Amino acid sequence: VRLDIRRCDSVKNKDNEVFVDTTGKQNGRGIYIKKDLDILEKAKKSKIMDKLLECVIEESIYEELENIIKNY
């Protein structure tokens, strides 16, 4: 059981938008993370998601992931 996180490049303004894709069907570059709070904390500390998506992951994304994991 994994969560899918996507980054999409907007053609119009070329800004990177990072969002959680619970369906796994959105376009863009994605990474998966196990639904485990310990794994999420390790990923946050190591900034591995930042490296894989080649952008800075906002705190709100981590909070959204944490809420999804807690409610799973």
Side-chain angles (χ1 to χ4, degrees), residues 31-66:
I31 59 172
Y32 293 98
I33 185 166
K34 186 176 178 181
K35 289 183 180 178
D36 183 315
L37 290 175
D38 291 333
I39 301 295
L40 179 62
E41 188 61 31
K42 287 178 185 176
K44 185 177 178 181
K45 284 183 180 179
S46 68
K47 298 188 183 251
I48 189 67
M49 293 193 298
D50 295 49
K51 295 171 188 170
L52 291 172
L53 292 176
E54 300 173 347
C55 62
V56 177
I57 305 297
E58 298 290 330
E59 184 64 29
S60 61
I61 296 293
Y62 290 110
E63 290 170 1
E64 184 178 355
L65 289 170
E66 186 176 333

